[in-house]
Amino acid sequence: MGGWRLPLAAVAFGLGLLAAPRAPGPVWGWLGAGLVGSVGAVALARGPAEDRLAAAGFREAGLAGRTRAALPGRAAGRPHVPPPVVPLVLGLALLALGLGWGGLHRTRTAGALLATLAPARVEVEGELRVDPRPWTRGWSAILDARSVRAGDRAWVVRETLWVSGYGEPPSAVRGDRVRVAGALRVPDDAGFAESLLRRGIAAQLSVAELERLGPSANPVIRAAQAVRGVVGARIRALFPPREAGLLLGLALGDDSGLDEGIERDFRATGLGHLLVVSGGNVAMVLAPVLALALALRLGRWWRFALGLSTVAFFVVLTGAEPSVMRAGVMAGLALAGGLLGRPRSAGSVLAGAVLALLVLDPALVWSVGFQLSVGATASMVAMATPIAERLRFLPRPAALATGATVAAQVGVAPLLLAVFHEVPLVTVLANVLAFPAVSPALLLGLAAAGLGLVSPTLARAVALVAQLPLRYLEAVADRMSTAPVPWITSGGGAAILPVGLALVVGLALWLRSGRRLGRGWLALALALPLVVWSSALGAGPPAGLTVRFFDVGQGDAALVTSPRGATVLVDAGPDATQVATALVALGVKRVDLAVATHPHADHVAGFPDVFARLPVGLVIEPGCDEPSPAYDAFLRAVREEGLPVRHPRAGELLTVGDLRVEVLAPTACFEGTDSDPNNDSLVLRISLGEDAVLFPGDAEEPSQEAMLAAGAPIAADVLKVPHHGGATSLEAFLTGVGAEVAVVSIGQPNDYGHPVPSVLATLRHAGATVLRTDRLGDVVVSFSPEGLLVASEP
């Protein structure tokens, strides 16, 4: 296809796949229409016969007028085809093909044997496609099933299955052959079922038993497993744990040993793509191999075979991640073009790779990793060079690196805003600073692992050198993660992606045109940040004491701000990133006081990401012994970020700017109650002048009794209702607060029956207006001379 036809075909086919779940009519009708349209587009695209002969060099184009009537390919009355018709017909044809192909894939997946067998007790044998990973209350993995047995019947299949179990993930790794037994079913949750269906999976298996049968039966995969095991073992032996985990992710896509702090820092700076193997790694591995082939003066066919086999093995070695497959197919097409003496443009190679992969595996169109990889690569192809040419004040290598980084970030920004709702602007600088160290870290690390098989002494020396770029990358991520650079955030919505992509396409066209911005466009560009960061720009210090109760589901998180700019974060909810994202969207640049009321996950799980993104002045928490994965991660994050931490007790007073923070409980860690961690909750009364808010965490009756007996000053205008409104509070405590507004931080559905009607009735009887985050979303309470002002943000 021509220079524009292949990209158009790839885009149209991909859009068809995305629209396939909602496409009306039979899939064969769409496929038939697409095939007919494609043939028509090819026929329309063929030029007159004499023009084709001239283009091929057999005749002079100027002779066309004398011989036109004699050429059978051009009738005298044949109408001229307007230029827009061909791309329009081709685009519609490929769109129809995508609708049909996607519908066919979806129909075959939904009608898979495993789905028709469910619900049933089955035994399945197959190969793990991915490493088992921690999941809700256990672990999960994807299994390529090859046989299934239900009762006395057995089938040979080639289907994909979602498997999950309780406890720690099994020791098997991707590529291993396993036998699993358990309950087969189609997911009850419609959202989860749809997400699996888009990945080509129709059923899930709750695993009761898992047995590892051995490595892969495929000799190539088995060889890759062996190499992966040997290289991984040598890296772990040669490098300190933090650097070993980073190098394993960078080189092999193995994030099992990745340090949690490093992961948070890299993701907060937009360097997360370095933690797993990406398309760029293919180029880093292929380039020295081809250089060696040239140095050895290998022939063209030998270079092609060596390069192609290197790429194929690397794709298998790293687990065939979507971005690596995209880069691998691109490399294969480029090598084939060079071999045949018909090189193609990078845009055509990218489009060909995308089209081929989507035909082979339509489920890839739903992979966010694949979408990000294609978006970044397409943007670099279109904009990297024009951007670099505008950076003449930089040295050429720095200009090219900056151009590629800026182009990639621009290309993925719409998708990041649509899916993750945030883009860290520091990522451009972070990636430019990290760029020079990535290749040395990867190549020196792999060289050290390889040398470890023949010369341990030399391997250790190379490993010491390799630690320099690895630690440099860690330092860049650590410093940039808390840099005072704003984030672009969005609330999501259907318009974010198409509008963002339209802006990216417009920017690419302008950059490639070489034109300068007119005054109107320049003014619009200068005003754009005011629109993008409007929430942050409007989030300066409030006029009075203000509390935002975040809607975090079944958990707690609240932000207290004051007129002098003091910020206190009380708990951070159960989600790892939600509260951190909300804080940067609000324009928060620093948290003066971070309060973990007690160690339960629904209160502390979000703190590590907050610590990674924002400077924190002081952390306070009860300091009572309550080991749990979420609490352990919280404590590790505090240590890794070097944050000061205190364990205050009842009667202590903290001053945070113009805020007064009184600690009302606990006096000591509880023992022997129904829930010691809940009763150990820090109970804080935060006030500004006469205005006060009471945060009792999840304190239950024993803690409340102690406060009432001690005459603690629990009176407040606003109450965060204890323990999500559960039946664990004293009526005397709730009425003693005398709150005008009571906020219940709650998620629905929950397994605890929160909030209970009796607690809500008690609060209302005491004169409080009860507000619930599950119904209102974020609840914002502001103190003003006219009284309390309440707003909600769903």
Side-chain angles (χ1 to χ4, degrees):
M1 290 188 181
W4 57 266
R5 295 170 190 166
L6 200 54
L8 174 63
V11 170
F13 188 75
L15 289 175
L17 292 178
L18 290 172
R22 297 178 177 84
V27 297
W28 296 109
W30 289 111
L31 287 172
L35 289 173
V36 171
S38 299
V39 172
V42 172
L44 291 172
R46 298 179 66 187
E50 70 274 17
D51 292 345
R52 295 197 300 274
L53 289 172
F58 292 110
R59 291 196 305 102
E60 295 182 16
L63 299 177
R66 286 181 288 166
T67 59
R68 178 172 298 171
L71 291 170
R74 173 82 172 189
R78 182 176 177 179
H80 173 67
V81 178
V85 171
V86 175
L88 178 62
V89 173
L90 180 64
L92 291 176
L94 268 295
L95 180 68
L97 282 174
L99 289 169
W101 194 243
L104 182 62
H105 177 263
R106 187 179 179 88
T107 301
R108 292 182 61 185
T109 300
L113 174 67
L114 292 173
T116 60
L117 289 177
R121 301 287 300 183
V122 298
E123 182 180 278
V124 182
E125 290 188 15
E127 290 189 2
L128 289 172
R129 182 182 294 185
V130 298
D131 294 337
R133 295 175 176 272
W135 195 50
T136 306
R137 301 179 184 176
W139 59 272
S140 67
I142 296 176
L143 180 71
D144 289 322
R146 295 296 175 258
S147 67
V148 57
R149 178 179 296 277
D152 58 352
R153 301 187 65 186
W155 298 264
V156 175
V157 297
R158 295 189 67 85
E159 297 178 6
T160 307
L161 184 64
W162 177 274
V163 295
S164 60
Y166 292 100
E168 295 295 321
S171 57
V173 297
R174 63 185 175 205
D176 280 350
R177 292 180 296 114
V178 297
R179 179 187 295 118
V180 291
L184 179 71
R185 62 188 178 91
V186 175
D188 299 324
D189 184 274
F192 182 54
E194 176 64 22
S195 70
L196 290 184
L197 200 59
R198 290 177 175 180
R199 300 168 72 175
I201 303 171
Q204 69 176 123
L205 182 72
S206 297
V207 178
E209 300 177 15
L210 184 146
E211 177 187 1
R212 181 181 181 274
L213 302 177
S216 173
N218 185 304
V220 176
I221 297 178
R222 191 164 59 247
Q225 283 184 293
V227 171
R228 187 181 177 89
V230 171
V231 172
R234 295 311 307 161
I235 288 175
R236 293 185 184 92
L238 290 169
F239 291 86
R242 285 170 60 89
E243 285 68 38
L246 177 56
L247 181 57
L248 285 170
L250 182 65
L252 301 178
D254 180 2
D255 60 358
S256 60
L258 192 62
D259 180 82
E260 293 177 351
I262 289 178
E263 181 176 12
R264 286 191 297 270
D265 289 342
F266 272 66
R267 299 202 184 284
T269 52
L271 295 173
H273 60 93
L274 299 179
L275 299 177
V276 293
V277 174
S278 63
N281 296 62
V282 175
M284 293 182 207
V285 171
L286 182 59
V289 171
L290 292 180
L292 178 62
L294 287 171
L296 295 176
R297 299 183 178 180
L298 297 181
R300 185 172 58 180
W301 280 97
W302 282 108
R303 292 199 303 271
F304 171 75
L306 180 61
L308 191 63
S309 59
T310 298
V311 170
F313 188 76
F314 185 74
V315 170
V316 175
L317 178 68
T318 55
E321 293 291 335
S323 60
V324 178
M325 287 195 295
R326 186 271 310 158
V329 175
M330 284 187 68
L333 292 175
L335 289 169
L339 175 68
L340 299 175
R342 302 184 64 183
R344 289 291 184 263
S345 67
S348 295
V349 172
L350 171 63
V354 170
L355 191 58
L357 287 169
L358 291 181
V359 170
L360 292 173
D361 185 6
L364 275 176
V365 76
W366 298 103
S367 167
V368 175
F370 183 75
Q371 295 169 358
L372 289 171
S373 176
V374 172
T377 306
S379 190
M380 285 190 289
V381 169
M383 292 188 280
T385 300
I387 292 174
E389 290 173 350
R390 285 166 167 78
L391 300 176
R392 299 185 184 93
F393 56 90
L394 292 176
R396 185 62 177 170
L400 290 173
T402 304
T405 298
V406 173
Q409 192 59 49
V410 168
V412 300
L415 187 61
L416 292 174
L417 288 173
V419 177
F420 303 107
H421 304 165
E422 59 182 2
V423 176
L425 287 185
V426 75
T427 187
V428 175
L429 178 59
N431 275 277
V432 169
L433 292 175
F435 176 78
V438 176
S439 292
L442 173 65
L443 298 177
L444 287 171
L446 290 177
L451 288 170
L453 301 176
V454 294
S455 175
T457 301
L458 185 57
R460 284 192 291 270
V462 175
L464 285 174
V465 178
Q467 288 183 45
L468 296 177
L470 287 170
R471 289 181 175 172
Y472 169 78
L473 290 173
E474 294 172 9
V476 168
D478 181 57
R479 299 295 185 273
M480 293 292 102
S481 63
T482 54
V485 179
W487 290 56
I488 300 177
T489 59
S490 80
I496 291 292
L497 188 57
V499 171
L501 290 177
L503 291 173
V504 170
V505 172
L507 177 63
L509 292 174
W510 170 72
L511 285 170
R512 295 180 69 85
S513 71
R515 299 174 183 172
R516 292 186 176 183
L517 280 177
R519 292 183 178 180
W521 288 105
L522 183 60
L524 179 62
L526 293 174
L528 184 60
L530 301 179
V531 177
V532 172
W533 300 315
S534 59
S535 63
L537 292 172
L545 177 63
T546 300
V547 186
R548 176 181 290 266
F549 297 91
F550 294 107
D551 177 18
V552 294
Q554 185 67 19
D556 273 4
L559 177 68
V560 183
T561 53
S562 76
R564 293 187 183 176
T567 55
V568 178
L569 179 64
V570 183
D571 291 328
D575 186 85
T577 61
Q578 180 185 355
V579 170
T581 300
L583 292 176
V584 297
L586 292 170
V588 175
K589 300 296 188 296
R590 172 184 170 86
V591 174
D592 296 303
L593 177 65
V595 182
T597 58
H598 64 293
H600 285 165
D602 59 331
H603 293 251
V604 302
F607 272 120
D609 254 46
V610 173
F611 298 158
R613 299 191 193 189
L614 296 170
V616 175
L618 175 66
V619 178
I620 62 173
E621 56 103 5
C624 300
D625 187 21
E626 179 60 31
S628 70
Y631 184 54
D632 292 343
F634 162 77
L635 294 178
R636 282 196 301 272
V638 170
R639 290 193 299 268
E640 289 167 358
E641 299 296 335
L643 302 178
V645 60
R646 289 177 55 186
H647 314 296
R649 291 294 177 255
E652 294 190 36
L653 174 66
L654 292 81
T655 301
V656 182
D658 50 345
L659 293 178
R660 177 184 172 93
V661 181
E662 300 171 80
V663 182
L664 308 186
T667 56
C669 297
F670 280 82
E671 293 183 6
T673 66
D674 290 339
S675 178
D676 291 343
N678 283 348
N679 287 310
D680 289 336
S681 290
L682 287 176
V683 179
L684 305 179
R685 184 178 186 270
I686 301 178
S687 60
L688 176 64
E690 300 298 321
D691 303 328
V693 184
L694 185 67
F695 292 95
D698 281 359
E700 298 183 358
E701 292 182 1
S703 176
Q704 295 173 16
E705 287 177 351
M707 284 185 280
L708 292 173
I714 62 174
D717 304 283
V718 178
L719 169 68
K720 198 291 295 183
V721 179
H723 201 194
H724 319 289
T728 54
S729 289
L730 296 172
E731 181 177 347
F733 182 83
L734 297 177
T735 58
V737 176
E740 183 178 341
V741 171
V743 180
V744 186
S745 186
I746 189 69
Q748 297 293 349
N750 64 75
D751 298 330
Y752 312 103
H754 295 163
V756 298
S758 60
V759 168
L760 302 184
T762 298
L763 290 166
R764 292 191 180 106
H765 183 72
T769 298
V770 178
L771 307 174
R772 298 170 50 162
T773 58
D774 62 327
R775 296 180 178 177
L776 298 174
D778 286 7
V779 175
V780 183
V781 182
S782 303
F783 289 80
S784 73
E786 292 76 26
L788 293 178
L789 303 177
V790 178
S792 64
E793 297 181 9

